[in-house]
Amino acid sequence: MNKLPLQTRKLIIRCLVEGQSIRATARTADVSKNTVVKLLIDAGKACAAYQDRALNHLPCRRIQVDEIWSFIYAKEKNLARAKSAPPEAGDVWTWTAICADTKLVPSWRVGDRSGMTAIEFMDDLRPRLANRVQLTSDGHKAYLEAVEGAFGGDVDYAQLVKVYGDAPEAEKRYSPPVCVGARKRRVEGRPDPAHVSTSYAERNNLTMRMSIRRFTRLTNAFSKKIENHAHSVALHFMHYNFCRQHKSLDGISPAMAAGVTDRLWNIEDIVRLVDEAAPKPGPRGPYKKRNSN
């Protein structure tokens, strides 16, 4: 089986984590689009599995959570006119948690915006934390049951409920509504009002939109399959958590700040991770002569 040279695989991964589309990456690396997709799938699976193992017993004290919108195949409002749309087509939400101190993203979940996805998200987040944390979310009601089910009373939880006005008249088409105020609401425990914030989570949303081409607004590089959408998210957070130097952390990565690793990873480390996760070909069995009768 042919295998891409190491430098080509590094180039493809670097293009993908720096916000290039599949087609642009294929042109840059001089390979086929299917080759890029295959490497994305392999990398996404390897990165998701590694982070699932590594991101545990985390020393986080303050966690912010949020959801970021995207779509699969077609926007929800256009599904009626979409041809050959897959069952998962339409709006999709990526739920993310970020540590306010280390900037690590310990958990994420791709799905809809329902209470069931919120429960799955919180059930994944809670066992990864070594300490009682202060948790802040927006005012989405799905969090209430999910946090109660995952943490019980062992959390200091507050919601930051924002009040929005209209976008400026000339910018209604492309600009979100203007935030005109916010209200802090204690839900559980004794959250410190000074740290009731979702600013880091919202800044993380911007990082995702800039680093994952599928999340760019008004893009034609949107996901066609939800599986590949999830793979791109896993690859992004592998690069973000382990490879990116964070200025607020004096140039170390979030994974280093959280004590998950003692060194700064690079793209070649991700490529090697993919190679290690790839199934190894088994030994060939004994040759059997075909019966000539």
Side-chain angles (χ1 to χ4, degrees), residues 267-287:
I267 298 296
E268 186 169 337
D269 290 317
I270 296 180
V271 174
R272 288 174 178 166
L273 186 69
V274 176
D275 289 342
E276 292 171 1
K280 304 298 187 293
R284 295 191 179 189
Y287 174 74

Side-chain angles (χ1 to χ4, degrees), residues 225-276:
K225 297 180 180 179
I226 195 168
E227 294 86 358
N228 293 350
H229 190 84
H231 293 324
S232 68
V233 172
L235 174 59
H236 163 76
F237 282 128
M238 187 74 206
H239 181 259
Y240 169 84
N241 282 333
F242 288 84
C243 301
R244 289 187 63 165
Q245 295 174 282
H246 208 289
K247 289 184 178 180
S248 69
L249 302 175
D250 296 326
I252 65 175
S253 69
M256 293 175 69
V260 178
T261 183
D262 58 0
R263 66 182 180 87
L264 187 67
W265 285 43
N266 55 40
I267 298 296
E268 186 169 337
D269 290 317
I270 296 180
V271 174
R272 288 174 178 166
L273 186 69
V274 176
D275 289 342
E276 292 171 1

Side-chain angles (χ1 to χ4, degrees), residues 38 45 57 70 87 101 111 139 162 175 187 189 216 221 224 263:
K38 174 64 166 59
K45 291 179 179 179
H57 307 293
S70 188
D101 299 307
K162 295 185 177 180
S175 298
V187 179
T216 305
K224 314 306 185 295
R263 66 182 180 87

Side-chain angles (χ1 to χ4, degrees), residues 53 140 142 210 265:
R53 298 191 304 269
H140 188 29
M210 296 179 68
W265 285 43

Side-chain angles (χ1 to χ4, degrees), residues 128-179:
R128 300 186 185 281
L129 305 174
N131 309 301
R132 181 187 179 105
V133 299
Q134 174 162 330
L135 179 70
T136 306
S137 75
D138 58 19
H140 188 29
K141 293 181 179 179
Y143 282 113
L144 298 174
E145 180 182 355
V147 172
E148 175 64 26
F151 290 87
D154 190 26
V155 67
D156 299 310
Y157 174 40
Q159 289 189 330
L160 186 67
V161 182
K162 295 185 177 180
V163 180
Y164 292 96
D166 294 329
E169 186 65 29
E171 301 178 6
K172 281 188 175 180
R173 183 173 182 182
Y174 300 118
S175 298
V178 177
C179 180

